Amino acid sequence: MDIKDVENLAGLARIELLEDEKKDLLQDMESILDYVKIIEKIDVQHSVLDNGYCNIWREDEVMPREFSKELITEQFPDKQEGFLKVKKIL
Amino acid sequence: MIDLDSLTIAKARALLDKKEFSAVDLAKTYLAEIKKKNKELNAYLEVFDDVLDQAKIADDRIAKGESFPLLGIPLAIKDVILIKGRKVSAASKILENYTASYDATIITKLKKQGAVFLGRTNMDEFALGSSTENSAYGVTKNPYDLNRVAGGTSGGSAAAVAGNLALAALGSDTGGSVRQPSAFCGVVGLKPTYGKVSRYGLIAAASSLDCIGPIAKNTEDTQIIFDAIQGYDISDSTSVPDNFHSKISQKKELIIGVPWDLINQNGIDSGVQEDFKKAVKNFESSGYQIKDIKLPNCIALYYIINFAEVSSNLARFDGVRYGLHKDGQNLLEDYLLTKGAGFGKESRRRILLGTYVLSAGYYDAYYGKAQTAREFLRQKFKELFSQVDLILTPTSPVPAWKIGEKSDPLSMYLADIFTITANIVGAPAISLPSGFMEAENKKLPLGIQLMASSEQEGLLFEAGKKFETIV
């Protein structure tokens, strides 16, 4: 791992990092990843990942939900006529 | 004057119903304590300005003859649980001015009972840490020694209960965040069975591990709050209906498993070991059978899953719809600047680590392997709980450490060794105060942890109450 990897991960996670924090992060990440690597050695005795988990769906019916629309729209960073306004993406 | 030191929820209930004091009197007493101590302890990030109004409503309901276990009882709420119209920040700069637009399900339940919310308590940012030192709003201090941490991540809640700044509190527990601060502050903390308490309205840290749990002065109070907040909730897809887990047939004489090899290893404080051995003897003398068991060290497994889930949960804080917004030249710059300015050090660290373990080249080696190991562990625990009813360990390998002492993140992760297992397998666990150890002329509280199989909270309460009579 080097500074380039840290920068790449930060780019993927959309976080701007300060120059002097990159070195610290690299050091921390190296020692943490070095530790959690012991997961490789855990013997799971051919156990397979079959936990029976599935998505939980509900019927597509309207249910009352108590929430405040005003509190939501008030907190939009930018808005126009009650709608959230965002910067163009293309 | 109300004597807060000896007051419990059960006692307060009786006195409120007998009109020995009113909910307003009780709230005023706590507000006075908060005013006196909070500046130093930093347990609360905000004390609500309508506490007395809430208490007045409770008094009116009591006058009408209503009685609920929590009617008029003053509680502290961790700053990660949504109360409609109030600020909630997860102790992060990125949500500094965020106001909740709805009530968490547990808040709805507590409001129905008429509980009084005193304020929101300090925590590690987004519930990531073990000492509340990762809060964007300063560390919470331990009421027993102001040079030491109160534990984390629910450090504010535990310190509030221990320091008489609330009668009880709510916290959240992803890897020990209710139990460990409870141990550090000498109070009781419960992590319920996964899915037993609705998380609708809880700001997520790691979704397959997170649980909401109570912190209180004794087991009975803990049980009162658990009973009030538990139950299936259609708004939380991971919530489980009653009797979801197969019941294990009850034996006459309960067996407690103790993983001695984990407890006798290096790195476990000798004061903790000594206190623990006393606790084991106490359980033995009150009729429990003790059995030596083997438990694996799960820290690597836990943290890989935690990083992965935290990184995807925190991705939603992007400055687009709510929270901090930093304006750049384009949308990408908005994201970079907002996240760069809003997330603290530990959050950034875990987001990057999670991004790493989930990236295409490493997914199988880290996250995939951790998931398989987790399933393996779950099966092992099922077997284990057919041989023992409870598992006993210390809650933490060390007592509360000094503020700033654990600056290396890995050393702090390693202190979670006893608590994370319950989150990995989804089992309930309780931390009980077990005694004190002396350090630099200060008495530091210690805690023991009991774990049971899923939905067996009843066994924990029973054992807790028994233990309280001997300690």
Side-chain angles (χ1 to χ4, degrees):
Chain A
M1 221 180 176
D2 56 33
I3 291 282
K4 277 259 168 305
D5 295 314
V6 175
E7 286 171 347
N8 181 35
L9 288 169
L12 289 169
R14 304 278 189 259
I15 299 180
E16 191 193 51
L17 298 178
L18 302 168
E19 272 314 311
D20 53 349
E21 108 177 271
K22 290 178 188 167
K23 239 176 84 188
D24 283 354
L25 270 167
L26 175 64
Q27 210 181 348
D28 290 344
M29 289 179 68
E30 275 183 328
S31 90
I32 293 165
L33 288 170
D34 191 47
Y35 177 81
V36 300
K37 243 206 233 134
I38 56 172
I39 193 89
E40 284 174 358
K41 297 201 190 91
I42 293 183
D43 177 16
V44 292
Q45 294 171 8
H46 313 294
S47 99
V48 279
L49 192 57
D50 174 26
N51 44 32
Y53 295 140
C54 55
N55 280 324
I56 312 272
W57 304 100
R58 64 168 176 83
E59 289 304 312
D60 188 16
E61 288 164 358
V62 180
M63 283 192 310
R65 284 276 168 98
E66 268 196 46
F67 67 92
S68 162
K69 187 180 164 191
E70 289 69 38
L71 279 172
I72 294 171
T73 54
E74 264 170 25
Q75 298 185 70
F76 289 162
D78 197 5
K79 63 191 147 199
Q80 195 175 324
E81 291 161 45
F83 289 94
L84 173 66
K85 196 174 162 190
V86 291
K87 291 202 170 92
K88 63 175 185 187
I89 45 171
L90 284 176
Chain B
M1 243 342 244
I2 303 170
D3 174 26
L4 296 184
D5 279 338
S6 65
L7 196 69
T8 61
I9 294 178
K11 278 187 198 165
R13 167 84 280 112
L15 294 167
L16 284 165
D17 288 345
K18 272 197 272 178
K19 315 258 184 345
E20 298 261 332
F21 53 70
S22 67
V24 169
D25 296 335
L26 187 59
K28 274 186 182 160
T29 313
Y30 277 107
L31 288 175
E33 288 298 300
I34 292 169
K35 209 172 167 193
K36 221 168 26 181
K37 298 177 191 160
N38 193 53
K39 221 172 166 189
E40 201 162 39
L41 291 177
N42 198 27
Y44 285 95
L45 294 178
E46 180 190 356
V47 179
F48 299 138
D49 55 10
D50 65 340
V51 172
L52 294 180
D53 299 335
Q54 295 178 56
K56 179 79 186 60
I57 293 170
D59 278 332
D60 291 345
R61 289 175 65 180
I62 293 169
K64 275 190 230 155
E66 281 186 52
S67 182
F68 291 102
L70 296 172
L71 181 56
I73 301 296
L75 302 177
I77 309 292
K78 186 177 181 179
D79 187 29
V80 72
I81 297 167
L82 273 57
I83 309 178
K84 189 175 169 181
R86 297 190 196 273
K87 277 189 182 173
V88 55
S89 77
S92 177
K93 288 280 174 209
I94 213 163
L95 288 176
E96 189 167 10
N97 293 307
Y98 176 65
T99 303
S101 58
Y102 66 97
D103 278 332
T105 297
I106 63 150
I107 293 297
T108 307
K109 289 183 176 210
L110 293 173
K111 278 183 174 173
K112 270 190 190 141
Q113 290 218 5
V116 173
F117 304 133
L118 292 167
R120 54 187 173 101
T121 50
N122 200 9
M123 54 184 279
D124 286 294
E125 181 183 13
F126 287 110
L128 311 176
S130 311
S131 63
T132 315
E133 289 170 290
N134 294 332
S135 166
Y137 306 99
V139 65
T140 294
K141 293 175 182 167
N142 193 307
Y144 283 89
D145 180 350
L146 296 173
N147 295 314
R148 291 178 188 264
V149 299
T153 66
S154 312
S157 287
V161 177
N164 280 335
L165 280 68
L167 187 45
L170 282 169
S172 62
D173 190 310
T174 307
S177 288
V178 159
R179 291 160 284 157
Q180 183 255 33
S182 296
F184 281 11
C185 293
V187 291
V188 178
L190 172 77
K191 179 210 103 71
T193 304
Y194 182 77
K196 200 70 198 153
V197 175
S198 167
R199 301 180 301 178
Y200 180 65
L202 171 76
I203 298 174
S207 302
S208 78
L209 304 160
D210 293 344
C211 291
I212 292 176
I215 296 174
K217 284 180 176 171
N218 63 21
T219 306
E220 188 187 16
D221 283 4
T222 307
Q223 188 175 7
I224 290 171
I225 298 180
F226 171 71
D227 287 344
I229 60 174
Q230 64 93 26
Y232 175 73
D233 179 16
I234 195 165
S235 302
D236 173 359
S237 66
T238 56
S239 155
V240 295
D242 283 346
N243 304 317
F244 178 78
H245 299 278
S246 48
K247 279 261 182 300
I248 291 158
S249 62
Q250 205 96 145
K251 295 164 219 74
K252 253 199 185 149
E253 191 179 51
L254 293 180
I255 303 170
I256 296 180
V258 178
W260 283 113
D261 54 349
L262 216 53
I263 291 150
N264 288 328
Q265 65 180 331
N266 286 340
I268 315 293
D269 192 287
S270 60
V272 170
Q273 286 173 334
E274 211 174 293
D275 174 80
F276 180 76
K277 280 172 193 154
K278 246 191 293 169
V280 173
K281 281 213 178 89
N282 282 336
F283 275 111
E284 218 167 6
S285 64
S286 55
Y288 288 90
Q289 205 181 310
I290 307 293
K291 191 180 164 167
D292 188 12
I293 56 164
K294 295 260 178 294
L295 274 193
N297 175 335
C298 308
I299 292 170
L301 157 59
Y302 170 82
Y303 273 98
I304 289 168
I305 291 172
N306 180 290
F307 297 151
E309 294 185 10
V310 165
S311 75
S312 68
N313 271 328
L314 297 195
R316 79 190 63 181
F317 302 105
D318 54 11
V320 173
R321 288 156 301 149
Y322 54 83
L324 183 75
H325 173 86
K326 293 274 179 196
D327 219 42
Q329 300 286 331
N330 50 47
L331 190 64
L332 178 62
E333 247 188 64
D334 285 9
Y335 292 152
L336 293 168
L337 294 173
T338 302
K339 286 170 184 274
F343 285 127
K345 215 171 171 191
E346 182 65 14
S347 301
R348 302 151 100 87
R349 210 180 273 139
R350 293 205 198 184
I351 290 169
L352 295 195
L353 284 161
T355 308
Y356 181 88
V357 299
L358 289 174
S359 58
Y362 299 104
Y363 183 95
D364 287 336
Y366 288 99
Y367 189 69
K369 182 69 189 279
Q371 287 290 52
T372 314
R374 184 179 192 177
E375 199 42 43
F376 180 65
L377 195 69
R378 275 208 187 97
Q379 286 157 13
K380 280 267 159 229
F381 260 76
K382 255 190 199 153
E383 283 167 37
L384 193 57
F385 277 121
S386 66
Q387 296 156 28
V388 301
D389 302 282
L390 296 159
I391 295 171
L392 180 65
T393 64
T395 307
S396 165
V398 289
W401 52 83
K402 285 192 179 151
I403 293 164
E405 189 184 326
K406 287 195 191 289
S407 54
D408 164 36
L410 183 60
S411 74
M412 207 175 311
Y413 297 171
L414 298 178
D416 294 339
I417 181 163
F418 296 124
T419 45
I420 50 178
T421 319
N423 301 77
I424 295 170
V425 301
I430 196 168
S431 176
L432 304 165
S434 55
F436 293 86
M437 66 175 272
E438 193 113 0
E440 292 165 14
N441 294 323
K442 291 266 168 70
K443 277 174 87 182
L444 302 178
L446 296 173
I448 52 152
Q449 172 187 250
L450 281 166
M451 203 190 316
S453 67
S454 290
E455 277 191 278
Q456 294 292 330
E457 278 85 357
L459 285 183
L460 300 179
F461 297 139
E462 190 190 305
K465 285 173 193 169
K466 238 184 215 170
F467 188 64
E468 281 164 6
T469 60
I470 12 177
V471 177

